[in-house]
Amino acid sequence: MKQGIVPALLCFSFLTGCSQHTEEKPVDYFDIVRPEITGQLAYETTDFVEDYWRVVGNTGFNKTIYLIADSLQAAGYVLEEKAKDSDRLTYRIEKRKMTHQTWEPGSASLQIVGEEKPLLLSETNRNMTYLNSVSTPKEGVKTQVIWIKSIEDLKNTSIKDKVVFAEMSVRRLYKLAVEKGAVGILTYDNPDYLQPEKNKTSIQFRSLPSQDDGNFWGIALSYEAKEKLIAELKKGSTEVQVNIQTKRYPSEELTIVANIKGSELPDERLVFSAHIQEPGANDNATGVGTQLEMAKTAAKLFAEGKISFKRTMTFLWGDEIISTQRYIQEDSERAKGIKWGISLDMVGENTAVTGGTFLIEKMPDPSAIWTRGKDKHSEWGGEVLKLADMKPHYLNDFIISTFKKQGEYANWVVKTNPFEGGSDHTPFLKADIPGLLLWHFTDQFYHTDNDRIDKVSQETLKNVGTAALVSGLQLVNASDVFAYEQIQILKEQAIVRLEDESKLSLLALKNGSSKKEEKLVISAWEDWYIKSLNSINDISTNKNSAVKTAISNAQNEIQLKSNELKEALK
């Protein structure tokens, strides 16, 4: 008990001394932000965006870009090319040539010849047409279905001018099917976490390679459609009538970037990133809408003099991973100043309907090597990392701590998962920039045409937007007081983690693990937290020697606790 009180008092004295020295007054950003973010703008934006099947360069993607631009301008952001040096709030729309034509779906139908009703219609299954599919003739095409159960079947069967049906990934089928003269494919490949026997009409969107001059098409099946087709195929030879109308046309790739320029360290920045492409509501119209409400709220509070920005806050909307990666890579000087990156992807779920929970996907820490205890991967899954892959940084525990405050306030569940990758946080990490993901999983409607506005919660949008903007404001205004707070958070979390891992190691030893392995686990967490504490030095604007002393003291406590726990392993 006393050991817990003394460090807290020491930290309090540090905080007080730092505050007096810098004449800083602690700012409760939750008190400022909570009355402003309601989730309404995020929800309305999500509702607009999810109407469109979005891919880079097409109508829905571009309309989203210009909707964001209009909203930013109304909030006080000035178009960069018209901005004065004194303008702190600016935005720009970047335009780039596309190497391939863009694509958008029109109408589609699939009918078993001889049946009265269509098997699928795009009006009710808008994901049925493979991305990059070509159009059939206006009257459609009638062709025989060839049921393929393995790649060997495909190699040994005549499929010229026919359509191939298979329950497997298109990646295994496409090239050979084209080479052998098939006109198209019908596939079913819904993972179990979508609960296909319950959600019988769901279709996950699928894609073909870009084919500006090709003539191949694909249709993805729902569980219900797949079962009906198989029943017909079992009876004998089966023909289908397929009608697909799509658009392919030259376009340009658009990205929109908004900045609130820092007053003291404008070249240092936090980047929020949300991707526009993909056809769903939760994925990722919710990220687009939440980030827009954050940007608009930040502008309002800044204009009213309620908040300041020492560093720059950047909001980026574009093509998943590609736009974020380009933002980092195309300007090496700008990249040097990116201190943090946060991705908003699938952030508005009504979890009572979709399942799963809100998650913070952590930067790579030892839970991505030894996933045990309370740590659990999502259904997305992740590779087992190595010690060399670790990214020790205070950002993990800071974001978790901040979001859990909103969770406690709003009775909202906040959980974490070990690093898995696959969204806009990965370009930051690859560039050795601290970055993490805000998202939801498992979602039984993930990537399906049932991911619509009725699966979105305005309350969740409000909670994510509030906690994300509060986190951002704390980061861009971070100084010594913030540094001391992070030292205390990291030290406390390190002790908790080490004690938890020690208990798990004792159980593992009983189940046949070795002392060497279990000591390695505890040492890995010790190392991760000691290095995370070192990363706090990057915050201290005055390079305050007292901050370094506090870091060193915390590291010593962690090291002592780690040694004690390793010695206790029997």
Side-chain angles (χ1 to χ4, degrees), residues 53 110 119-122 124-130 187-191 194 199-206 219-226 279 444-451:
W53 213 107
L110 171 67
L119 197 58
L120 290 173
L121 285 172
S122 57
T124 51
N125 283 104
R126 70 178 190 169
N127 283 0
M128 66 177 283
T129 307
Y130 264 72
T187 67
Y188 176 81
D189 188 28
N190 278 359
L194 294 180
N199 302 311
K200 294 182 179 181
T201 65
S202 285
I203 298 178
Q204 272 201 329
F205 76 82
R206 300 289 184 232
I219 290 177
L221 303 177
S222 65
Y223 178 85
E224 182 177 70
K226 180 260 295 187
Q444 62 182 306
F445 305 109
Y446 171 68
H447 275 184
T448 76
D449 39 22
N450 280 318
D451 177 13

Side-chain angles (χ1 to χ4, degrees), residues 306-325:
K306 294 179 179 177
I307 57 175
S308 59
F309 292 82
K310 292 181 181 179
R311 298 173 181 85
T312 297
M313 185 177 287
T314 296
F315 303 92
L316 184 153
W317 295 264
D319 190 12
E320 188 171 17
I321 297 178
I322 292 170
S323 294
T324 302
Q325 183 171 281

Side-chain angles (χ1 to χ4, degrees), residues 49-292:
V49 174
E50 70 102 31
D51 281 345
Y52 298 95
W53 213 107
R54 308 173 303 280
V55 64
V56 172
N58 78 359
T59 302
F61 191 100
N62 292 350
K63 281 191 173 184
T64 299
I65 289 282
Y66 288 109
L67 172 75
I68 293 166
D70 289 344
S71 188
L72 290 173
Q73 191 164 341
Y77 290 83
V78 181
L79 190 64
E80 274 189 11
E81 60 193 52
K82 297 181 179 179
K84 304 184 292 290
D85 290 341
S86 58
D87 288 322
R88 297 271 302 278
L89 278 66
T90 60
Y91 77 95
R92 67 179 179 274
I93 298 175
E94 300 175 352
K95 301 180 179 182
R96 295 176 178 85
K97 289 183 179 180
M98 292 178 60
T99 56
H100 297 286
Q101 293 180 333
T102 191
W103 179 93
E104 59 189 83
S107 61
S109 65
L110 171 67
Q111 188 160 356
I112 296 172
V113 174
E115 291 289 316
E116 184 179 340
K117 292 183 178 180
L119 197 58
L120 290 173
L121 285 172
S122 57
E123 286 90 339
T124 51
N125 283 104
R126 70 178 190 169
N127 283 0
M128 66 177 283
T129 307
Y130 264 72
L131 168 63
N132 293 322
S133 285
V134 302
S135 295
T136 62
K138 291 286 185 183
E139 66 277 11
V141 59
K142 185 167 75 171
T143 183
Q144 184 183 358
V145 180
I146 304 298
W147 189 2
I148 298 298
K149 298 181 181 179
S150 70
I151 293 299
E152 286 304 311
D153 282 353
L154 186 58
K155 290 177 182 177
N156 300 323
T157 306
S158 174
I159 58 172
K160 185 171 174 56
D161 297 327
K162 297 179 175 64
V163 61
V164 173
F165 164 62
E167 295 182 69
M168 63 180 74
S169 166
V170 67
R171 293 177 185 174
R172 301 176 61 195
L173 293 170
Y174 174 73
K175 187 176 180 182
L176 190 56
V178 171
E179 288 175 357
K180 290 177 68 68
V183 293
I185 51 174
L186 307 174
T187 67
Y188 176 81
D189 188 28
N190 278 359
D192 290 342
Y193 62 74
L194 294 180
Q195 303 177 48
E197 294 185 33
K198 171 188 169 186
N199 302 311
K200 294 182 179 181
T201 65
S202 285
I203 298 178
Q204 272 201 329
F205 76 82
R206 300 289 184 232
S207 62
L208 299 171
S210 296
Q211 44 172 348
D212 291 350
D213 301 316
N215 59 359
F216 197 78
W217 48 261
I219 290 177
L221 303 177
S222 65
Y223 178 85
E224 182 177 70
K226 180 260 295 187
E227 290 293 293
K228 288 181 180 177
L229 179 59
I230 287 176
E232 286 298 316
L233 288 164
K234 285 180 177 178
K235 294 176 185 177
S237 180
T238 302
E239 288 187 316
V240 289
Q241 180 75 24
V242 179
N243 195 312
I244 297 173
Q245 301 302 316
T246 63
K247 295 179 182 178
R248 295 184 296 170
Y249 52 92
S251 188
E252 56 188 355
E253 179 190 346
L254 304 181
T255 304
I256 186 163
V257 182
N259 291 302
I260 303 179
K261 187 177 180 181
S263 59
E264 297 179 20
L265 300 163
D267 293 333
E268 294 185 2
R269 72 183 66 227
L270 161 67
V271 179
F272 287 109
S273 183
H275 67 87
I276 296 172
Q277 100 299 337
E278 292 189 356
N282 277 307
D283 192 10
N284 185 37
T286 55
V288 172
T290 302
Q291 191 165 281
L292 182 59

